[in-house]
Amino acid sequence: MQKTNSENKQNSKHLPPSVKERLPKYYRTLRALIGTDILRTSSGELGKIMKLTPSQVRQDFSYLGGVGHQGYGYNVKDLYSVIGNAIGIPLNYSAIIVCRKTDFASVLSTDQCFSTRGVNLKMIFTDKCGDFTPSELMKFEDSKKEKLTEQITNQAYLRAADYCRRTGTEIVVLACDKDETDIAAIALADAGVRGIWNFSGKDIEIKDKNISVLNLNLHDILLGICSEITNIRQNLPNE
Amino acid sequence: MQKTNSENKQNSKHLPPSVKERLPKYYRTLRALIGTDILRTSSGELGKIMKLTPSQVRQDFSYLGGVGHQGYGYNVKDLYSVIGNAIGIPLNYSAIIVCRKTDFASVLSTDQCFSTRGVNLKMIFTDKCGDFTPSELMKFEDSKKEKLTEQITNQAYLRAADYCRRTGTEIVVLACDKDETDIAAIALADAGVRGIWNFSGKDIEIKDKNISVLNLNLHDILLGICSEITNIRQNLPNE
DNA sequence: TAGATTGTTAATCGATTAACAATC
DNA sequence: TAGATTGTTAATCGATTAACAATC
């Protein structure tokens, strides 16, 4: 049973990493177009908005199967839905936040990171202020965020791992102390968590190929900016 | 006056983007080695820690000039210093934060993002709670963070741009509302800011090649994790 | 039909890896 | 000297861009 080229490409197994990385931004761009009632687009228009060549846009979309129409372009809503499916939006993942103080959770909640992307933020576990549902956290907004109804006897990541095991929560945003990163990662992986967004400052290296880890190091990002600035200045004067 | 290959590579103008992106992580790794009193290393050891091939590590360092010693490896402190110079650590950049509420600034300050990387965080400008020095912000910690000594009449980004112009501040962390992103970016660029770390959720596109912008979109990152999870699951069952 | 725009193939470009002579 | 490890060159791999036939 021979597969055609197109069938092969449609299989997300063959999505190259570079393309997969661009999906969220395509999704965001299409979302914005829908928001302004633009319901038809083209590789040229999307390329212009996203600073990509039309060629690359078409090449990228070709991995999602025949989603465009020759001579017409792309139906924005269809494309939005196809990319959403590739990302797994309809699977309605659940997430929790593990952090030290409420300020961290507050930033992500205010940003509506989860709600606008179909991810269900269920709980916030903090080391210092107790545990919150997102709506409880919002109630405390702009006031002292402490809710110590019972004595906190263990670390937030332990309560979080327990919660994930019981509820099948897939995604954990981890902003624990660097000293706890390794042990927290093990506990969460053991609890069946499938994705960790790691803000802790120490990279998580998990051998388990079934778990996806994103190490976001704020220090590295800051230095990346310094590096860019330094190089821009150094390069301008010569030649 | 012919340049040798080595002289060419030493010139940071020729640092490929892929290499430049890895510099902050090399820096962080070397910092950790110094912290544990490991003062000699090799491309093999660094590769193991950072999940890179020894070949790539050597290839990367070759762009920084002859920083290693054949048969010996690399002196950790020398390498740390060479990479620090390439990033521009000794230039002691200054930074400010522009955000809506203090929670955002509190997260970055607690993380010691700036202090441990030789970047001088000078002020925090907020829309809702007034302006703070970092030490003022820390004093308010764990309590209601509001400091409205005078009536706030304009947006934080305007006060921030004015401050940057007066003080020559190079870096701005921008976490304003999406609606303000474009106008804030223009104001900051006009004030002579050289690097913007944009958390606002709307990408900044500046034509000016002298300004470095890093658009960090939390929504995109979350969807990147969803996408990974989705693809891991889909790919396991077949074959 | 003429104009527009896709999806795909081929060409180019850049980044990673392998191999190895140089040498500490 | 023997062992280790660099820095560089060449080979491979993957990602981007260009070109164009297919066709709406």
Side-chain angles (χ1 to χ4, degrees), chain B residues 186-225:
Chain B
I186 292 168
L188 293 168
D190 190 53
V193 163
R194 290 168 53 197
I196 301 177
W197 186 357
N198 176 25
F199 277 92
S200 75
K202 178 162 199 291
D203 290 357
I204 293 174
E205 325 269 7
I206 289 187
K207 319 118 278 290
D208 185 344
K209 298 279 281 177
N210 283 42
I211 299 181
S212 153
V213 173
L214 192 130
N215 293 305
L216 188 80
N217 191 291
L218 298 174
H219 298 229
D220 285 1
I221 295 172
L222 178 65
L223 286 195
I225 294 169

Side-chain angles (χ1 to χ4, degrees), chain A:
Chain A
M1 207 157 64
Q2 208 198 332
K3 282 180 186 172
T4 69
N5 225 322
S6 174
E7 276 169 345
N8 268 330
K9 284 202 168 182
Q10 221 152 356
N11 185 331
S12 60
K13 189 176 359 190
H14 298 291
L15 256 188
S18 56
V19 177
K20 204 157 53 181
E21 268 172 31
R22 280 188 289 273
L23 291 184
K25 191 168 174 188
Y26 281 123
Y27 191 77
R28 176 156 59 96
T29 304
L30 293 166
R31 210 182 147 77
L33 289 182
I34 291 171
T36 54
D37 290 317
I38 295 169
L39 297 175
R40 175 183 164 178
T41 191
S42 65
S43 58
E45 183 178 45
L46 282 171
K48 206 163 188 179
I49 299 172
M50 290 181 57
K51 310 269 175 199
L52 302 172
T53 62
S55 231
Q56 179 158 63
V57 173
R58 291 201 299 280
Q59 185 72 280
D60 285 354
F61 291 168
S62 78
Y63 289 99
L64 304 168
V67 64
H69 308 276
Q70 276 165 328
Y72 169 91
Y74 301 90
N75 177 300
V76 174
K77 284 189 174 173
D78 289 351
L79 189 54
Y80 181 70
S81 148
V82 166
I83 292 176
N85 286 339
I87 292 170
I89 307 276
L91 299 172
N92 269 110
Y93 292 120
S94 291
I96 61 162
I97 296 175
V98 180
C99 52
R100 279 166 289 192
K101 300 180 292 157
T102 51
D103 53 4
F104 182 88
S106 179
V107 168
L108 288 192
S109 298
T110 307
D111 189 56
Q112 301 193 287
C113 225
F114 303 94
S115 53
T116 65
R117 291 299 185 269
V119 175
N120 188 6
L121 176 62
K122 296 209 292 199
M123 279 296 290
I124 290 112
F125 298 89
T126 81
D127 282 321
K128 296 201 180 161
C129 315
D131 306 336
F132 302 80
T133 64
S135 61
E136 277 174 347
L137 189 80
M138 286 298 111
K139 258 188 259 165
F140 280 77
E141 185 156 26
D142 287 332
S143 74
K144 195 162 190 283
K145 293 208 175 95
E146 223 161 316
K147 178 206 175 194
L148 295 169
T149 48
E150 68 231 61
Q151 205 61 32
I152 298 179
T153 54
N154 58 8
Q155 299 299 82
Y157 77 84
L158 285 171
R159 304 194 301 279
D162 183 54
Y163 179 88
C164 291
R165 190 193 310 277
R166 283 188 285 109
T167 59
T169 298
E170 292 98 351
I171 297 171
V172 173
V173 183
L174 182 64
C176 64
D177 196 89
K178 268 207 290 283
D179 301 337
E180 282 179 6
T181 307
D182 290 337
I183 186 132
I186 292 169
L188 293 168
D190 190 52
V193 163
R194 290 169 53 197
I196 301 177
W197 186 357
N198 176 26
F199 276 91
S200 75
K202 179 162 199 289
D203 291 356
I204 294 174
E205 324 269 8
I206 288 188
K207 319 118 278 292
D208 185 343
K209 297 280 277 177
N210 283 42
I211 299 180
S212 153
V213 173
L214 192 131
N215 294 306
L216 187 81
N217 193 292
L218 299 174
H219 298 230
D220 285 1
I221 296 172
L222 178 65
L223 287 195
I225 294 168
C226 292
S227 174
E228 283 295 327
I229 293 175
T230 303
N231 283 285
I232 287 171
R233 269 299 142 94
Q234 281 181 355
N235 295 343
L236 284 186
N238 14 355
E239 279 160 286

